[in-house]
Amino acid sequence: MTHDEIIEGLRKLDTPTITNVVATYPNNPLCLGLYNPWTENWYTDTSIRCIYPGRGATVGYAATCVWGLPDPNYVNRRSLLDVLEAIEAMKKPTILVMQQKWPDQLKPRAGLAGEVMVTCMKAVGCVGMVSDGPSRDIDAIRQLDFQLLLGGVTAGHGEMAIQSIDVPVSVGGMDVAPGDLIHMDENGAVKFPAEHAQLVLENAHKFLEAEHKQLEHLRKARSVSDIMAAFTTYK
């Protein structure tokens, strides 16, 4: 199976199905058990929401950066161009995972990535962004076929600076390293090491096949014993 076939296959699946085979059900033989499902930060929590639900899944390799306030004790030599170079250098397609480090009173007000920034990101192969803070221009970005999973939406921001690029980040309860594969849809996002992509895809199809058979029986169930039979046969 080629790289493009794997990515396209993953795009056709929903994110909860991906989590099912990455770590959610460690006792299921189709689950890879890549993380302890409760103790490791491998998928996003309720602080992150999908801005364009209904588009299906977005899949890409993680480029990472951290933004925050300018620091008078730190001479910031990084710019948006450096972030774009990191995206350009990453395997395609790419998703930017951007951690926002603001004082608590400012974080809900920092509408960081707007139409101009997203247009630049898309030009270098980025198909989506996950961020634990807000962004803006969502009406304009809607036309760009670019997915956003954000902490919220707001109209403006003040002076800001890049703190680091290509570093491990934590966004919405999910810890991400550069190069991790990100799968995201309106349910949230999940990460896993890219070397497992083909096995994740194959096991997800097997998981769905068993689940569909179980659901067929459950839809016909008329008693608790019927439900138990469906769970016993297709587990």
Side-chain angles (χ1 to χ4, degrees):
M1 192 178 297
T2 68
H3 170 265
D4 289 348
E5 289 172 337
I6 293 170
I7 296 298
E8 186 59 31
L10 290 170
R11 282 198 196 104
K12 294 177 180 177
L13 301 173
D14 62 273
T15 300
T17 296
I18 301 301
T19 68
N20 285 346
V21 299
V22 170
T24 293
Y25 295 113
N27 294 321
N28 188 308
L30 293 174
C31 180
L32 301 180
L34 299 180
Y35 312 102
N36 181 321
W38 282 124
T39 64
E40 305 309 303
N41 299 325
W42 55 285
Y43 62 97
T44 55
D45 57 28
T46 57
S47 67
I48 300 293
R49 67 183 180 93
C50 178
I51 301 302
Y52 307 117
R55 284 191 174 176
T58 302
V59 181
Y61 297 88
T64 65
C65 65
V66 180
W67 289 73
L69 288 175
D71 185 345
N73 299 308
Y74 169 62
V75 179
N76 188 346
R77 297 181 175 88
R78 317 303 295 272
S79 72
L80 176 60
L81 291 178
D82 295 297
V83 176
L84 296 174
E85 286 179 350
I87 294 172
E88 188 174 47
M90 184 56 64
K91 197 170 183 178
K92 302 298 182 292
T94 306
I95 291 174
L96 181 64
V97 184
M98 181 168 64
Q99 186 171 355
Q100 298 190 43
K101 292 186 176 180
W102 310 100
D104 290 343
Q105 71 273 20
L106 295 184
K107 190 163 187 177
R109 302 173 61 86
L112 204 160
E115 181 183 12
V116 171
M117 182 173 174
V118 168
T119 299
C120 294
M121 290 161 57
K122 189 170 180 182
V124 291
C126 193
V127 296
M129 184 180 76
V130 186
S131 182
D132 56 345
S135 282
R136 58 184 186 155
D137 295 343
I138 62 168
D139 288 342
I141 295 170
R142 183 179 285 110
Q143 314 306 318
L144 299 179
D145 190 26
F146 186 96
Q147 185 59 277
L148 295 170
L149 268 65
L150 303 173
V153 175
T154 190
H157 61 72
E159 194 67 25
M160 52 194 180
I162 297 167
Q163 310 295 335
S164 55
I165 300 171
D166 274 340
V167 294
V169 295
S170 183
V171 173
M174 181 176 69
D175 297 338
V176 178
D180 280 345
L181 200 56
I182 304 292
H183 190 286
M184 64 188 196
D185 66 11
E186 59 191 283
N187 297 282
V190 59
K191 64 85 182 269
F192 58 89
E195 61 264 28
H196 296 285
Q198 182 167 339
L199 194 52
V200 167
L201 177 60
E202 292 171 352
N203 284 16
H205 281 297
K206 294 174 184 176
F207 196 100
L208 282 175
E209 183 180 354
E211 189 174 67
H212 287 161
K213 290 179 179 178
Q214 185 184 76
L215 283 168
E216 286 179 6
H217 284 73
L218 288 172
R219 292 185 184 111
K220 298 174 183 176
R222 296 297 179 268
S223 67
V224 172
S225 61
D226 289 343
I227 294 171
M228 289 178 62
F231 279 111
T232 301
T233 305
Y234 303 103
K235 61 182 180 177

